[in-house]
Structure formats: structure tokens, C-alpha cells
């Protein structure tokens, strides 16, 4: 192969580079130098992966593989053959991300002042404008790591968000280009990745499983399962996670990997498709010095494989500083230094604040910036000096030559060359006829996404059986209490009234137990936002998959509750009555879980979510028709009666119980049971019946049926819908809230600042 030299199998690097990373045989290529010093031949992660696969084959097969030079027609084929592109074609198409005069401000509402009405505001406005970015400019190149530094509130994360297209276009001023062309949002999602500051991972999945699920989301269906597994194994080696591959991620209640390993897994999740641009928000936050260094070392190798790495970092150590290529120091949204770490001493020396020889450069710079911020003049002198210094640097021949070098490749040419080297394994294709890369918004069809989402959710839930166990326990305890409280109800007036109470409590219980599902999505909320922000899968796939996988658990809970209560309470209808009761319970669980899922998409706080759910369900029960019949509800509250989720299953099971016109609940003297006359002797009651018969002209005896089940339904005002209509309406409510949940995710997960 021309240009790439001979790649050696993966080996562990000794010394300070204690990560199991891949290396290039120095006998076949030039010694590695800093990207800024010379043209570099990129060795992509896909090439590393092919190297791992070759190591598994016999020597003769490896020799034949190295002799193949077939052209690559898609990103997937990079796993099957070596690219024949010469080094010159690769090095002549570098990526350059330029940003110029980025400015971003937000409006902050002034604090309420009760005396404001007594005196006029100076500017007459109730809001203040705060500038978070003020004319930030810079340039990041392929193979380099750029770090954004500054104190808290300096604008580090804001700048990363601006570059990563996480700020609305109409709010951000300035330009961001890649190889001189403006980046479209859709294209940027395909070629870039963003690693958040928090490690958002499923706690009960192992490191290997986490990366494998990420591979199934981000890598195209055209790649075989074997190729995806090989890619994950190579990535585990690149991230230095081999010893933790079978360890669960863990959380507060389950012991798992260390903080540094979690951070590297988070990075691995977002680089599984080998992006061209990688953004990271404080990747070393919360890590000890050694773990932080290992993370940055991994990022350096990612950059050297042909990526642009841009990160915010709070206060890097001396060793980390040696790995960085470009620095941007910010102070209250202004640039106070931008350039190579090697130029820091010269810059501050010319500013008449020389850095002492044995002092950490970044610590000195940050301390000086803080001192200036607290001074009367602020950092304005340093900002102005930086502008003059950059202007003077731009006029130097070395600076001009460095900027002109390798800057003649268009974006299409650079992406085409990058794909042909094995990067962007996420559905991007390189059309060999016109050399124009095309991109799919999502790597896989929606049904593949649904299967993967479902598999991951089921696996994570199976390793936390206590979650389903707690919910089942709550349902069973409630069922047993109801079964023992309302055992074998008779067909008397009191029995009829007790049935009403049983059904009202049973139906409301199914909804209240659904409130326990609130933390489930809230735990996944930010994982979902991170994954969908860069098109790992469709929001519709997530909603459909979550809906489908919830059904088996709901069926199990419904069957347990129905079997515990139906026969013990003595409800009527036999087998058909039991089946309708079961389906109504299932529909109630479905509607309740959908309602809670929708609210969890709106409310981000667990305690607030519980409060809102409990309050709304209490209102639903109040207007269900149990406490006050529909005919007696004030007309201005009648609308709430019809949107009550409890109304429809409650009316459905009542009709299922009282629909038999031959079944009698009040006979003869029983009409006096719920009145003071009920305390009189039975003979007195019979005489009263004879007197009533004479007045009414109808013979009423002790056995005459006075009130049937149909009469009870009329007394309760249940005449609008049949029991089957009530069942279907309850099911429809569940689908309605799932649709609302989808639109909530669609609107609320844009993940962009305004």
C-alpha cells in the first residue's frame, strides 16, 4: 500500500502512554510529529479496526488482504478492504473549522422590586441584556485538539454549544464554516458528535453492551453483526477499557466502573461512528489527575486519526497542556488569548506579565485573568492587547504560510476523502461516479431502531427486577386488601353501595400505581436528548418502542389484580365478566401509564412530577361520577367529568356488574334499609308495604323487586356510553397521551439555547 505504510497489530503502549492504543510501525513510516508542524498521514479508527480483524486471520490471509486495493464505494466497505488512496490525496484534503466574530447574548428578567412602581426606571426596560460571547474568532484543524479555558461563567460551554450548533441560528451572530463553507444543521449532525459534561449512561448495562447498543444505533444496517462487534472491541481497546468491558456502568445503588472509565465510555458512545468533528464539554470534570490525563490522551489519538477535537476544560494539568495544540482563554465572553500553548510565555511577556520559569503556564494565566477581572479596569487591556498581538502574528510569514497550507480542499472533497479512509461509518456513502458524498439522516430504518431500543430497555429492566417487583407488590397488596374488605358481596342495597365503592377505589388505584413510572423516563430523559440530538434514532421509534415494551408488564399487573379481586369479591358475569373486568383494568393501566409518561416528558423534576400526577388523578376521581352523579355536577364543571380518565373504566365495570335486568338489588322491605324506618320490626315494614300498595295500585310484597341493576346505573347517571365504548375510549386516551408524549419530545428535545 502506498502512503499508509505497514500497520502493526494492536499492542499495549508502555510508559506514560499506558492505554492499549493502536500504533503505526515506525519502520515503515516517518516518525510522528505534531500536526501543525507537517503534513500528516491520518490513520483512521476504521483502519485500526481492520488491523484487529487482520490479526485474527492466518498469515497468508493477512498477506492477501494487504495486497487488495479495491476502491471503497461506501463507508461500510472500509471494513472489508484497504483503501488505495495515496497519501497525497489524503493529506491534501484536511478539515478546517473556522469561526468568526461569534456573538451571543441573552435577556435576563430583572428581579421584582416593589418600589419600582414609585420611581421610573432609567431605561424603562424590565430586562437586562447579558453578553455571553463577544466577537469570538478562531480556527481548529484536523489532527489538532483545541481547548477553551476560563473561569466559571467565562463562556466556555457557551462557545462549545455555539460551535456544535446547540444555539438557535437566529440568536447567534457570526459565521461558522468548515473548509470555507457554511455547515448545514443536517450535515453537522452526521459528521460531528457532542459529549456532554455529565456521563449519561444506563446503569445496569456493561461497558461492552453500552458501546454495542451505540454501534447498533449509529452504524448502518449494511454492516454485519460481526463487523459491528469487531468495531466495538477495537474501540474498547482504543479507550483503554478492556479490563472493565464486562463490568456494569453502575449508579448510586450498584457498584460499577470508575469515574474515568465512565467518562471514556461516554466518549466512546459518541465516537462509535468515527466523526470528523468531536465537541466535548469539560471532559475532565470531576476526575483525578491520572484519569483526566488518560481521557485527554484518548482524545489526542482520536484527533490524530483524522478528527477535529474541540473541548472546554477548567484547569488542565502540566501533562495535559503538553497534549493540546490550540488554546482559547475566555473572560466574561471575551477572548484574552488564542493560539498555541508554546506562545503563552511570549504573549504574557509582551503584556509585561512574564510567566515565571517553574510555574504552570495555565495556572498563571488563569490567576492573572481573575485578578484583572476583579480590578477596576477589568480585562479590557488584555482583550485589546490580544487583538493587537493577533494582528501582528497574522502579518508574520510563518503564520501566513501555515494558514495557506492544505487549505485548498472543498468541503465535498474533504468529506469524500475522509469517507474513503473509513470515517463516518453512519450511513454516509461515497458515490464513485461523481465523488459526491450523500448522507442519510438516520443510519437505520425505524423498525431496526425500535428493536434496538426495546432490547436495551428490556435488558436494563431485567437487571433491576426490584422496579417491577415494587409495582407488583403495590398492586397485589391493594388487591388483597380489597378482596378481604369486600369479600362475597351480597345482592342487597348495602351490597350494591359497597360495589360502587369497590369499583371506584379499584379503578383509581390502577391510575395511582402508574405514578411509580415517573422516574423511569426522567432517568432516561437526558440520555434520550443526547442520543437524538445527533440522530442516533428517531423520536417516533423511541415512543413506539417504549409503548410496546410496556404492554407485557401491564398485562401481568392487570391479570394479577383481576384474579385477586374478581372471584373473592363475588362480582357477576362469570368468565365473560372476568375477561371484561381484566381488559378494563389493562386499559386503565395503559391510559394511566401513558398519562404519566406524557407528564414526565413535560416535567423534569421527580418530586414535582409526583405532586402534579397525584393532584390531577385526585381531580379525575372527584369528577368520575362516584362522589356526585353526572346529572348533579354543575354545568360549568361538566367538561372535567368527560375528560376524567377514571370516568370511563369506572362506568364500564359498573355496566359489566349491573347490566343484567333480571338481577335484583332491592326487594320489598329492603327499600327501608337506608332510612330510619329500617330500625322498625319487619311486621311494621310489611304493613307499610300494604299501605303503599293500596296507594300505588300495585301489589308490593316482601319479595317484589324494587330496584334492578339497570335502575342503579340510571341513578348513577350512566347512560351515555355502553361498556364496550367505555373500554375503547379508555384505550384511546392511552394512545392520545402517547401522541402528546411524542410531540412533547419533538418540541422539548431540540436541545438548543435561545
Amino acid at each position: 500500500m502506498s502512503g499508509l505504510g505497514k500497520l502493526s497489530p494492536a499492542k499495549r503502549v508502555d510508559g506514560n502512554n499506558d492505554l492499549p492504543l493502536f500504533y503505526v510501525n515506525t519502520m515503515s513510516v516517518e516518525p510522528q510529529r505534531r500536526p501543525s508542524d507537517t503534513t500528516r498521514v491520518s490513520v483512521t479508527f476504521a483502519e485500526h479496526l481492520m488491523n484487529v480483524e487482520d490479526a485474527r486471520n492466518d498469515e497468508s490471509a493477512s498477506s492477501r488482504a494487504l495486497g487488495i486495493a479495491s476502491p471503497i464505494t461506501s463507508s461500510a466497505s472500509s471494513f472489508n478492504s484497504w483503501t488505495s488512496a495515496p497519501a497525497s490525496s489524503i493529506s491534501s484534503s484536511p478539515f478546517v473549522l473556522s469561526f468568526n466574530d461569534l456573538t451571543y447574548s441573552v435577556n435576563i428578567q430583572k428581579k421584582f422590586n416593589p418600589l419600582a412602581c414609585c420611581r421610573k426606571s432609567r431605561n424603562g426596560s424590565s430586562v437586562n441584556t447579558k453578553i455571553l460571547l463577544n466577537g469570538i474568532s478562531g480556527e481548529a484543524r484536523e489532527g489538532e485538539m483545541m481547548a477553551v479555558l476560563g473561569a466559571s461563567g467565562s463562556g466556555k460551554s457557551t462557545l462549545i454549544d455555539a460551535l456544535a450548533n446547540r444555539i438557535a441560528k437566529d440568536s447567534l451572530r457570526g459565521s461558522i464554516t468548515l473548509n470555507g463553507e457554511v455547515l448545514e444543521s443536517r450535515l453537522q449532525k452526521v459528521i460531528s458528535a457532542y459529549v456532554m459534561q455529565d456521563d449519561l449512561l444506563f446503569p445496569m448495562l456493561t461497558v461492552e453492551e453500552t458501546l454495542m447498543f451505540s454501534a447498533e444505533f449509529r452504524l448502518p444496517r449494511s454492516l454485519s453483526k460481526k463487523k459491528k462487534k469487531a468495531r466495538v472491541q477495537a474501540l474498547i481497546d482504543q479507550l483503554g477499557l478492556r479490563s472493565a468491558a464486562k463490568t456494569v456502568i453502575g449508579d448510586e445503588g450498584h457498584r460499577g466502573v470508575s469515574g474515568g472509565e465512565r467518562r471514556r465510555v461516554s466518549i466512546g458512545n459518541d465516537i462509535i461512528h468515527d466523526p470528523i468533528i468531536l465537541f466535548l464539554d469539560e471532559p475532565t470534570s470531576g476526575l483525578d489527575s491520572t484519569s483526566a490525563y488518560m481521557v485527554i490522551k484518548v482524545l489526542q489519538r482520536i484527533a490524530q486519526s483524522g478528527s477535529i477535537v474541540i473541548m472546554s476544560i477548567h484547569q488542565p494539568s502540566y501533562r495535559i497542556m503538553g497534549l493540546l495544540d490550540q488554546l482559547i482563554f475566555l473572560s466574561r465572553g471575551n477572548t484574552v488569548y488564542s493560539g498555541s500553548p508554546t506562545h503563552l510565555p511570549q504573549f504574557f511577556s509582551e503584556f509585561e506579565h512574564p510567566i515565571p520559569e517553574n510555574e504552570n503556564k495555565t495556572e498563571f494565566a488563569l490567576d492573572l485573568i481573575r485578578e484583572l477581572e476583579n480590578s477596576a479596569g477589568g480585562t479590557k487591556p488584555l482583550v485589546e492587547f490580544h487583538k493587537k498581538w493577533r494582528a501582528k502574528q497574522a502579518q508574520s510569514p510563518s503564520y501566513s504560510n501555515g494558514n495557506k497550507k492544505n487549505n485548498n480542499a472543498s468541503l465535498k472533497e474533504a468529506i469524500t476523502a475522509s469517507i474513503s479512509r473509513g470515517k463516518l461509518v453512519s450511513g454516509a456513502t461515497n458515490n464513485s461516479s461523481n465523488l459526491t458524498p450523500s448522507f442519510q439522516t438516520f443510519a437505520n430504518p425505524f423498525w431496526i431502531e425500535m428493536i434496538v431500543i426495546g432490547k436495551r430497555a428490556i435488558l436494563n429492566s431485567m437487571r433491576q427486577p426490584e422496579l417491577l417487583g415494587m409495582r407488583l407488590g403495590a398492586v397485589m397488596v391493594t388487591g388483597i386488601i380489597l378482596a378481604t374488605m369486600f369479600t362475597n358481596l351480597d345482592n342487597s342495597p348495602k351490597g350494591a353501595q359497597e360495589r360502587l365503592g369497590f369499583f371506584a377505589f379499584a379503578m383509581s388505584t390502577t391510575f395511582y400505581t402508574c405514578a411509580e413510572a415517573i422516574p423511569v423516563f426522567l432517568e432516561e430523559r437526558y440520555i434520550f436528548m443526547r442520543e437524538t440530538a445527533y440522530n442516533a434514532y428517531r423520536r417516533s421509534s423511541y415512543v413506539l418502542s417504549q409503548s410496546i415494551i410496556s404492554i407485557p408488564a401491564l398485562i401481568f399487573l392487570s391479570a394479577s389484580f383481576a384474579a385477586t379481586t374478581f372471584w373473592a369479591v363475588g362480582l357477576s358475569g362469570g368468565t365473560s365478566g372476568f375477561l371484561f373486568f381484566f381488559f378494563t383494568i389493562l386499559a386503565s393501566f395503559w391510559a394511566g401509564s401513558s398519562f404519566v409518561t406524557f407528564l414526565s416528558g413535560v416535567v423534569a423534576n421527580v418530586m414535582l412530577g409526583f405532586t402534579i400526577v397525584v393532584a390531577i388523578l385526585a381531580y379525575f376521581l372527584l369528577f368520575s361520577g362516584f362522589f356526585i352523579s353526572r346529572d348533579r355536577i354543575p354545568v360549568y364543571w361538566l367538561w372535567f367529568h368527560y375528560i376524567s380518565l377514571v370516568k370511563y373504566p369506572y362506568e364500564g365495570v359498573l355496566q359489566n356488574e349491573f347490566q343484567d335486568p333480571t338481577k335484583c338489588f332491592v326487594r320489598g322491605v329492603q327499600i327501608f334499609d337506608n332510612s330510619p324506618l329500617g330500625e322498625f320490626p319487619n311486621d311494621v315494614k310489611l304493613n307499610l308495604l300494604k299501605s303503599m300498595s293500596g296507594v300505588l295500585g300495585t301489589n308490593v310484597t316482601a319479595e317484589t323487586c324494587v330496584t334492578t341493576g339497570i335502575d342503579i346505573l340510571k341513578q348513577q347517571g350512566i347512560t351515555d356510553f355502553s361498556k364496550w365504548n367505555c373500554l375503547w375510549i379508555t384505550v384511546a386516551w392511552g394512545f392520545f397521551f402517547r401522541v402528546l408524549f411524542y410531540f412533547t419530545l419533538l418540541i422539548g428535545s431540540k436541545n438548543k439555547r435561545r
Side-chain angles (χ1 to χ4, degrees):
M1 283 188 56
S2 62
L4 286 176
K6 180 182 178 182
L7 289 171
S8 300
K11 295 183 179 180
R12 187 173 298 275
V13 182
D14 297 323
N16 289 334
N17 299 343
D18 52 355
L19 302 178
L21 301 170
F22 299 96
Y23 76 103
V24 180
N25 192 326
T26 56
M27 297 297 293
S28 304
V29 297
E30 295 182 40
Q32 187 177 354
R33 287 172 284 185
R34 292 178 67 90
S36 56
D37 298 334
T38 185
T39 300
R40 176 186 48 80
V41 177
S42 299
V43 181
T44 67
F45 180 66
E47 291 164 349
H48 289 321
L49 176 57
M50 291 185 292
N51 191 30
V52 171
E53 290 183 317
D54 287 341
R56 294 173 181 172
N57 299 329
D58 55 74
E59 184 174 355
S60 60
S62 298
S63 300
R64 290 194 300 271
L66 289 172
I68 296 175
S70 58
I72 296 177
T73 58
S74 71
S75 57
S77 62
S78 63
F79 293 90
N80 301 320
S81 62
W82 294 92
T83 178
S84 60
S88 58
S89 67
I90 296 175
S91 60
S92 64
S93 303
F95 289 101
V96 180
L97 180 69
S98 303
F99 46 99
N100 184 50
D101 198 27
L102 295 183
T103 302
Y104 174 59
S105 60
V106 294
N107 294 327
I108 301 176
Q109 194 75 24
K110 291 182 179 179
K111 293 183 179 179
F112 174 72
N113 185 358
L115 300 178
C117 59
C118 302
R119 61 176 185 269
K120 188 176 180 180
S121 176
R122 291 182 178 178
N123 55 13
S125 175
S126 61
V127 296
N128 287 328
T129 300
K130 182 178 181 180
I131 298 176
L132 302 182
L133 297 177
N134 186 17
I136 309 298
S137 300
E139 191 176 84
R141 292 175 170 271
E142 173 188 326
E144 295 184 349
M145 287 197 298
M146 172 181 282
V148 183
L149 296 90
S152 299
S154 61
K156 301 189 301 295
S157 297
T158 305
L159 177 57
I160 297 296
D161 285 347
L163 297 176
N165 192 32
R166 291 164 63 89
I167 296 179
K169 293 293 185 184
D170 54 353
S171 301
L172 180 68
R173 297 199 303 271
S175 64
I176 302 173
T177 61
L178 185 63
N179 285 31
E181 299 182 28
V182 177
L183 264 179
E184 296 180 1
S185 177
R186 178 174 172 267
L187 175 61
Q188 184 165 354
K189 285 184 177 183
V190 176
I191 69 173
S192 66
Y194 183 94
V195 181
M196 297 181 179
Q197 184 174 348
D198 298 321
D199 300 319
L200 308 171
L201 305 166
F202 283 90
M204 299 312 296
L205 300 182
T206 66
V207 169
E208 185 175 14
E209 290 168 345
T210 299
L211 296 176
M212 190 64 208
F213 280 119
S214 181
E216 292 190 34
F217 284 131
R218 300 305 299 264
L219 304 186
R221 188 164 53 116
S222 57
L223 280 182
S224 67
K225 191 84 169 180
K226 180 180 178 182
K227 300 293 184 182
K228 291 178 181 178
K229 286 182 178 180
R231 185 168 184 81
V232 168
Q233 294 303 318
L235 182 58
I236 288 173
D237 287 329
Q238 190 190 32
L239 296 172
L241 294 169
R242 177 56 59 194
S243 61
K246 302 296 183 181
T247 307
V248 296
I249 301 298
D251 56 12
E252 294 83 358
H254 305 86
R255 187 173 182 179
V257 297
S258 66
E261 289 168 335
R262 283 177 66 92
R263 189 62 46 84
R264 280 178 272 159
V265 174
S266 295
I267 295 172
N269 259 343
D270 290 302
I271 66 168
I272 191 72
H273 63 302
D274 209 3
I276 291 172
I277 310 172
L278 179 60
F279 302 101
L280 304 100
D281 187 13
E282 300 206 17
T284 61
S285 176
L287 302 181
D288 59 70
S289 177
T290 301
S291 298
Y293 176 76
M294 293 174 70
V295 168
I296 301 301
K297 191 66 179 174
V298 167
L299 296 177
Q300 184 190 47
R301 294 301 177 90
I302 293 170
Q304 291 173 350
S305 72
S307 297
I308 300 172
V309 177
I310 304 176
M311 74 187 87
S312 62
I313 191 167
H314 188 63
Q315 196 160 349
S317 65
Y318 178 81
R319 291 198 301 167
I320 290 177
M321 277 293 294
L323 303 177
L324 303 176
D325 299 287
Q326 295 290 327
L327 301 178
I328 294 181
F329 281 85
L330 296 181
S331 173
R332 296 175 181 173
N334 293 284
T335 306
V336 293
Y337 175 79
S338 61
S340 170
T342 57
H343 295 157
L344 267 176
Q346 177 189 355
F347 175 80
F348 283 102
S349 177
E350 294 183 16
F351 186 63
E352 298 182 353
H353 286 78
I355 302 176
E357 289 186 11
N358 297 324
E359 189 161 346
N360 186 299
K361 300 174 185 177
T362 53
E363 289 183 3
F364 175 87
L366 292 171
D367 290 343
L368 177 60
I369 292 169
R370 289 192 192 96
E371 289 180 12
L372 293 174
E373 287 176 345
N374 296 326
S375 64
T379 57
K380 186 176 180 181
L382 185 57
V383 173
E384 295 299 325
F385 175 77
H386 170 259
K387 292 179 180 178
K388 296 176 182 178
W389 190 79
R390 289 294 296 176
K392 184 176 69 173
Q393 290 287 315
Q395 294 174 0
S396 64
S398 59
Y399 181 88
S400 300
N401 293 336
N403 271 350
K404 291 178 181 178
K405 182 172 55 178
N406 295 336
N407 205 23
N408 58 344
S410 69
L411 182 57
K412 286 184 179 180
E413 291 172 344
I415 292 178
T416 300
S418 186
I419 293 174
S420 68
R421 286 152 45 207
K423 295 187 74 67
L424 289 180
V425 192
S426 60
T429 59
N430 181 8
N431 191 324
S432 57
S433 61
N434 57 16
L435 294 178
T436 300
S438 60
F439 300 95
Q440 299 175 1
T441 304
F442 299 95
N444 294 287
F446 80 96
W447 60 272
I448 291 287
E449 296 171 350
M450 288 177 58
I451 292 173
V452 177
I453 293 170
K455 281 169 52 182
R456 183 175 66 176
I458 292 172
L459 183 59
N460 192 60
S461 299
M462 287 176 59
R463 292 178 181 167
Q464 300 180 88
E466 64 274 11
L467 297 180
L468 179 61
M470 289 173 60
R471 195 173 178 188
L472 177 63
V475 169
M476 290 300 296
V477 168
T478 303
I480 292 171
I481 291 175
L482 290 175
T484 53
M485 281 286 291
F486 297 92
T487 304
N488 294 323
L489 298 179
D490 56 16
N491 295 332
S492 65
K494 290 185 178 179
Q497 190 63 39
E498 288 166 353
R499 278 175 168 81
L500 297 178
F502 166 77
F503 286 128
F505 193 87
M507 293 304 104
S508 61
T509 296
T510 58
F511 287 96
Y512 276 111
T513 54
C514 292
E516 298 176 6
I518 289 178
V520 174
F521 175 71
L522 290 181
E523 287 181 358
E524 299 180 13
R525 182 188 185 95
Y526 294 104
I527 299 178
F528 166 83
M529 292 176 67
R530 173 178 61 80
E531 291 176 334
T532 56
Y534 284 84
N535 295 344
Y537 48 80
R538 298 165 180 83
R539 293 168 179 84
S540 57
S541 301
Y542 179 84
V543 173
L544 287 172
S545 179
Q546 291 296 98
S547 301
I548 292 172
I549 65 174
S550 68
I551 292 177
L554 299 183
I555 293 175
F556 182 63
L557 294 173
S558 303
S560 301
F561 184 80
T564 304
T565 57
F566 186 86
W567 309 110
V569 174
L571 302 180
S572 63
T575 303
S576 61
F578 170 79
L579 289 176
F580 184 84
F581 181 70
F582 161 71
F583 283 122
T584 303
I585 296 295
L586 177 58
S588 300
F589 273 124
W590 163 250
S593 64
S594 300
F595 172 70
V596 169
T597 301
F598 160 66
L599 280 183
S600 66
V602 176
V603 181
N605 182 274
V606 175
M607 292 307 299
L608 182 60
F610 273 117
T611 303
I612 294 176
V613 167
V614 170
I616 293 179
L617 290 179
Y619 299 145
F620 284 162
L621 179 60
L622 175 63
F623 289 95
S624 65
F626 170 70
F627 295 102
I628 181 171
S629 65
R630 175 179 60 85
D631 299 332
R632 296 184 59 82
I633 295 177
V635 64
Y636 48 82
W637 281 120
L638 202 56
W639 62 273
F640 211 128
H641 171 71
Y642 284 100
I643 67 169
S644 169
L645 294 184
V646 181
K647 163 188 165 64
Y648 299 100
Y650 173 66
E651 292 186 359
V653 292
L654 283 185
Q655 292 184 68
N656 189 54
E657 182 66 19
F658 296 112
Q659 67 184 349
D660 187 357
T662 63
K663 197 170 185 178
C664 188
F665 288 90
V666 180
R667 293 181 180 275
V669 295
Q670 289 180 336
I671 63 175
F672 304 114
D673 286 355
N674 292 326
S675 70
L677 297 176
E679 301 298 327
F680 284 81
N682 202 46
D683 292 340
V684 176
K685 297 178 184 178
L686 290 174
N687 291 331
L688 287 173
L689 286 178
K690 290 180 181 179
S691 301
M692 291 173 60
S693 298
V695 174
L696 296 174
T698 302
N699 185 26
V700 182
T701 66
E703 297 300 322
T704 301
C705 183
V706 179
T707 303
T708 64
I710 300 297
D711 297 324
I712 293 176
L713 293 177
K714 290 179 180 178
Q715 292 171 8
Q716 296 296 314
I718 302 175
T719 58
D720 286 348
F721 307 100
S722 69
K723 71 174 186 179
W724 290 106
N725 284 339
C726 289
L727 177 62
W728 297 125
I729 291 173
T730 305
V731 173
W733 272 119
F735 283 106
F736 174 71
F737 283 115
R738 294 286 173 173
V739 172
L740 286 184
F741 178 54
Y742 167 73
F743 284 109
T744 301
L745 298 182
L746 199 62
I747 297 171
S749 63
K750 296 296 184 182
N751 212 18
K752 284 191 177 185
R753 303 194 195 187
R754 292 289 175 185

